[in-house]
Amino acid sequence: MAGVLSVLRRIYLTLYNWTVFFGWFQVFYLALKTLKESGHEHVYDAVEKPLLLAQTAAILEILHGLVGLVRSPVSATLPQISSRLYVTWGILWSFPEIRSHILVSSLVISWSITEIIRYSFFGTKEAFGSAPSWLLWLRYSTFLLLYPSGITSEVGLIYSALPYIKGSDKYSLRMPNKWNFSFDYYYAALVALGIYVPGSPHMYGYMLGQRKKALSKSKKE
């Protein structure tokens, strides 16, 4: 029974990883195509559907960690996915005024390259039991540049959206109301920006540790 469950697990994770891989590949292709043909102002409109689907699918990775399908700690997965979902849905989807910003292009290109490599790595590993050394190196090395560019784009877009958030009551709850509770989305965005200050260096350090561990293990093998 355990053997059957193990096979089913590998089949599911292989299908999941390659499905999301193709989603991110579509985002990358459409972003580059639109940049060349129409300019950065139109990138979001071109990639919106695959971007929303591919990024939202990452919620499953939190569930994968919770139920033990993968060994990735939820404490590391949750902040990364949450911040991306916030930028994807809470900023870009919610405030169209920000979609023509040039940082949208650097964001989706940084994200898509990262995820194309990551999902192909895990898809190959689940399907064949291991991944080639060059793909392992890319998986644990490209973040050195792509993580800073992605984070910079995220922070820049949240900051640029602040005037539009402040001028809108979207997602805010004003007093009085039947719940006797108020919520201001503008201040929530400021808190989100504040979290990036300690969160980003911490996550970068965590990934450096993972890189050292993975590459040293690869050399031994």
Side-chain angles (χ1 to χ4, degrees):
M1 185 64 180
V4 173
L5 290 176
S6 177
V7 171
L8 290 175
R9 171 194 165 278
R10 287 186 63 179
I11 291 173
Y12 165 73
L13 289 176
T14 298
L15 290 174
Y16 168 78
N17 281 294
W18 284 111
T19 299
V20 184
F21 163 85
F22 284 114
W24 280 110
F25 187 84
Q26 188 178 8
V27 171
F28 180 65
Y29 169 76
L30 291 172
L32 292 185
K33 182 174 182 288
T34 305
L35 274 173
K36 181 181 178 181
E37 296 177 357
S38 309
H40 71 268
E41 298 88 352
H42 305 283
V43 166
Y44 179 83
D45 291 336
V47 306
E48 181 180 39
K49 288 182 179 179
L51 174 66
L52 293 176
L53 287 171
Q55 191 55 69
T56 305
I59 293 173
L60 290 172
E61 293 174 36
I62 299 172
L63 298 177
H64 295 166
L66 288 172
V67 301
L69 275 179
V70 297
R71 289 181 291 178
S72 301
V74 176
S75 59
T77 306
L78 184 60
Q80 287 181 300
I81 293 175
S82 298
S83 64
R84 284 191 174 198
L85 287 172
Y86 170 64
V87 173
T88 301
W89 289 99
I91 299 297
L92 293 176
W93 184 81
S94 299
F95 297 94
E97 302 91 340
I98 207 70
R99 295 176 185 175
S100 60
H101 201 291
I102 193 170
L103 286 177
V104 173
S105 299
S106 59
L107 179 82
V108 297
I109 289 174
S110 297
W111 280 5
S112 58
I113 294 175
T114 298
E115 300 299 37
I116 285 169
I117 294 169
R118 187 168 73 91
Y119 284 110
S120 61
F121 171 78
F122 286 114
T124 302
K125 195 173 180 181
E126 291 295 342
F128 303 106
S130 63
S133 57
W134 61 267
L135 189 54
L136 175 73
W137 187 87
L138 286 175
R139 163 71 182 95
Y140 289 102
S141 299
T142 50
F143 80 88
L144 294 169
L145 292 177
L146 294 174
Y147 184 78
S149 64
I151 286 293
T152 301
S153 301
E154 291 176 35
V155 170
L157 286 169
I158 297 171
Y159 180 79
S160 298
L162 288 176
Y164 305 108
I165 297 173
K166 192 172 186 178
S168 167
D169 271 341
K170 187 176 286 187
Y171 308 136
S172 295
L173 186 63
R174 306 301 182 190
M175 294 280 282
N177 57 68
K178 63 181 180 180
W179 295 287
N180 198 34
F181 171 80
S182 65
F183 175 77
D184 194 311
Y185 196 62
Y186 174 76
Y187 289 108
L190 291 178
V191 170
L193 283 174
I195 292 173
Y196 275 91
V197 176
S200 300
H202 173 75
M203 190 57 65
Y204 196 70
Y206 170 79
M207 290 189 292
L208 284 172
Q210 292 295 101
R211 179 180 190 270
K212 183 178 180 180
K213 187 187 302 182
L215 295 185
S216 62
K217 182 180 178 182
S218 175
K219 287 179 181 179
K220 292 177 182 177
E221 294 174 351

